[in-house]
């Protein structure tokens, strides 16, 4: 899967600069379902021996990936909702700063869907600065739920998200780790032995 | 499927008033993947003889349903993105009024993902006033793409969305049609012969 995904990215992703990669023709605007199904099955396989009770993601671009993983694991998934203000009761919530949009937004999860008994796999499409994942981790803490790992499809390893998670001791599993990239030379991946 | 879904709604949905039904424990916040898979397979089966090239939905709560339908049909899906302002080029966009949130927002689809050659199945979780679906129909018109049908999991038949689509001549397929409901007496469905 990891090699297949690298091939897929080499072929279908568009590298616009050394920071920006567009994957919206198959991952997060138009979506290619067989790819997502393969990704979901692969991530689920990796964590099949963990006592995961729930998959957690954030709307919108993590939803189909969380669904594919959760279906393969046989557990429900929950997606944190974005909103402008925390005015709701009965929710865990925190604010997230989006580097892409350069604005803050709130994310929320209803209290009834996360409990101290939950072992949670966080799933998302892309790990860059890690702001979204950090928000989800805060919500897990509020719920006193346990983290099993953070799993993402693509990691931009040259940005701060992975380092932040490594430093804090959270297990991370990224299917494709991008060391560097440019429109001229394409994508350079970090190769790992599984 | 239709009967199974009615049973599911009778058991798991919470009717808060004669207008408001909460399905966020299994459909649009926490999600029960086997239910979504069954729904996706069922909708795909219904349209298997149509020359569908793409499934179209709107973020966030339509995404997992569109994925399940598109996977079963063997076509890509596209989700329209919500944003605050139309400042992008290269997109089809329109404004949608949310009755739930009482505010306007913009939805956009990149032009490259819809063309006059596309035969589109629109999919969403709930049809109420039909504002979201109307926005997607406007985007189809801008793209000069063809509509095959609109398919939703739950239709609140006592609100205006279904009538608006029927009057405009658009084919609609709703898995569960709610004629009326109340916290005391529960949900009354419109029964249809298939």
């Amino acid at each position: 899967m990891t090699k297949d995904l690298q091939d897929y990215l080499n072929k279908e992703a568009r590298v616009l600069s050394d920071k920006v990669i567009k994957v919206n023709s198959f991952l997060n605007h138009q979506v290619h379902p067989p790819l997502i199904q393969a990704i979901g099955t692969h991530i689920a396989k990796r964590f099949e021996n963990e006592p995961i009770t729930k998959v957690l993601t954030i709307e919108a671009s993590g939803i189909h990936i969380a669904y594919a993983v959760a279906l393969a694991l046989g557990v429900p998934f929950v997606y944190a909702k974005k909103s402008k203000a925390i005015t709701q009761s009965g929710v865990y919530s925190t604010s997230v700063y989006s580097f892409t949009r350069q604005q803050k937004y709130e994310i929320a999860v209803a209290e009834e869907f996360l409990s101290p008994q939950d072992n949670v796999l966080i799933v998302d499409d892309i790990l860059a600065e890690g702001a979204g994942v950090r928000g989800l981790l805060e919500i897990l803490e509020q719920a006193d739920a346990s983290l099993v790992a953070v799993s993402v499809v693509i990691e931009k390893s040259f940005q701060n998200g992975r380092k932040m998670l490594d430093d804090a001791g959270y297990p991370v599993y990224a299917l494709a780790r991008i060391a560097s990239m440019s429109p001229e030379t394409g994508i350079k991946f970090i190769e790992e032995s599984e």
Side-chain angles (χ1 to χ4, degrees), chain A:
Chain A
M1 177 66 218
T2 310
K3 187 70 179 63
D4 290 349
L5 181 61
Q6 289 184 3
D7 292 344
Y8 206 98
L9 291 174
N10 280 326
K11 204 173 145 206
E12 302 289 344
R14 283 172 299 162
V15 178
L16 300 187
S17 74
D18 59 354
K19 295 266 163 48
V20 180
I21 181 169
K22 285 277 237 184
V23 291
N24 68 354
S25 64
F26 56 92
L27 190 66
N28 57 18
H29 183 17
Q30 178 168 264
V31 181
H32 186 52
L35 175 72
I36 303 302
Q37 187 181 40
I39 287 168
T41 307
H42 180 84
I43 294 176
K45 180 97 185 137
R46 169 73 178 239
F47 294 102
E48 65 186 347
N49 296 321
E50 303 280 346
I52 292 167
T53 60
K54 244 160 226 191
V55 173
L56 178 66
T57 191
I58 189 168
E59 68 177 30
S61 54
I63 290 178
H64 40 294
I65 303 160
Y67 168 84
V69 175
L71 180 68
L73 283 171
V75 300
F77 79 94
V78 175
Y79 57 94
K81 301 201 164 195
K82 291 180 183 171
S83 63
K84 266 190 267 184
I86 319 179
T87 49
Q88 305 153 275
S89 61
V91 301
Y92 307 115
S93 66
T94 188
S95 59
V96 169
Y97 180 77
S98 164
F99 289 85
T100 315
R101 299 184 181 202
Q102 301 200 340
Q103 63 182 27
K104 251 168 91 166
Y105 58 93
E106 304 296 321
I107 61 170
V109 171
E111 286 176 7
E112 64 195 294
F113 302 135
L114 281 177
S115 81
Q117 283 74 49
D118 279 316
N119 291 304
V120 177
L121 178 66
I122 290 179
V123 165
D124 210 353
D125 57 340
I126 299 176
L127 178 63
E129 296 293 340
V133 168
R134 192 197 304 248
L136 294 177
L137 289 167
E138 279 180 38
I139 280 175
L140 281 196
E141 269 183 36
Q142 291 174 27
D144 206 14
S146 303
L147 177 76
V148 172
V150 174
S151 189
V152 298
V153 180
I154 299 169
E155 171 190 299
K156 292 156 84 180
S157 310
F158 53 89
Q159 286 181 268
N160 298 312
R162 177 60 183 261
K163 183 170 187 321
M164 178 265 291
L165 293 171
D166 282 348
D167 289 352
Y170 297 115
V172 180
Y173 178 53
L175 268 65
R177 302 187 68 194
I178 300 178
S180 64
M181 60 189 186
S182 82
E184 294 76 27
T185 60
I187 306 168
K188 190 165 180 300
F189 292 101
I190 297 176
E191 302 291 346
E192 287 175 298
S193 51
E194 295 244 357

